[in-house]
Amino acid sequence: MGMNYFHQLGCRSTLWERASTTTLVPWALSGLDLGDRTLEIGPGYGANIAALRTRTAALSGLEIDAALAARLRARHPGRLAVIDGDGTAMPLPDNDFSAVVAFTMFHHVPTPARQDDLFAEAFRVLRPGGVFAGIDGRDTLPFRLMHVGDVCVPVPPATLPARLKSAGFTDVEVRSNPTMFRFRARRP
């Protein structure tokens, strides 16, 4: 996963989970219907699970870090179907999910080319009409300081619409605030 110790502490804190539940997930998904079957790419420590479970009938999480996947299974039995795997090569069937979401994880994908692979995989596993949505951090000095020693390849929000359209998505929307951006796109 490539996260420094202090970043790991923050991501597994109740403060981060509260922020995710009350602010981040609601902002990212405002007005969106996730449908009956949602996949979260990179659930990490599980900060988004409570907020996502209220928005979908079935929630799966694709986690690349085996230790985090085991932790998720132990902490959220029956609430999240945990799948071990890499978002750039998902071990999942085509057209399986009504929604795919990703929260503050794109920047942990080590190259722009691999990020584009992740976008293509999200498109592949979505059903026609499905939505791809989430948030990520903007490339600011505080963001970089938090990620010292991490894998950190920020996605410039201005480039995301073209990259998502290149993966096949339509109805792409990106909105930014000073520290984060949200994205939404649909599989036609």
Side-chain angles (χ1 to χ4, degrees):
M1 177 164 55
M3 287 173 47
N4 69 49
Y5 177 72
F6 295 106
H7 193 176
Q8 291 176 40
L9 285 178
C11 287
R12 67 179 180 229
S13 72
T14 56
L15 181 65
W16 179 250
E17 187 169 346
R18 189 174 318 118
S20 179
T21 300
T22 62
T23 305
L24 302 178
V25 171
W27 179 58
L29 303 181
S30 172
L32 289 180
D33 178 3
L34 298 182
D36 65 334
R37 189 158 157 74
T38 299
L39 172 68
E40 181 180 9
I41 303 171
Y45 291 97
N48 307 312
I49 293 170
L52 291 172
R53 287 297 297 148
T54 66
R55 295 171 175 268
T56 189
L59 179 62
S60 298
L62 178 72
E63 180 54 56
I64 194 170
D65 184 298
L68 286 180
R71 184 180 192 271
L72 287 165
R73 282 186 192 94
R75 292 183 56 127
H76 302 282
R79 297 182 72 210
L80 175 73
V82 180
I83 303 156
D84 291 274
D86 183 339
T88 67
M90 296 184 197
L92 299 166
D94 296 354
N95 310 314
D96 201 29
F97 294 92
S98 56
V100 174
V101 295
F103 297 95
T104 64
M105 59 75 58
F106 289 160
H107 61 275
H108 289 295
V109 179
T111 66
R114 299 263 324 265
Q115 292 167 349
D116 290 341
D117 292 341
L118 186 146
F119 303 152
E121 282 292 279
F123 183 88
R124 181 184 66 76
V125 302
L126 271 173
R127 298 175 193 151
V131 66
F132 182 37
I135 60 172
D136 209 350
R138 295 191 59 195
D139 193 6
T140 62
L141 180 59
F143 182 80
R144 286 292 182 160
L145 290 174
M146 182 174 66
H147 290 84
V148 168
D150 288 3
V151 170
C152 185
V153 181
V155 172
T159 69
L160 193 54
R163 294 171 73 184
L164 292 175
K165 287 176 184 174
S166 179
F169 289 101
T170 61
D171 304 325
V172 176
E173 174 195 306
V174 177
R175 291 198 181 163
S176 294
N177 68 31
T179 60
M180 304 195 97
F181 66 89
R182 79 175 189 190
F183 68 93
R184 299 155 177 228
R186 192 160 301 279
R187 178 176 174 172

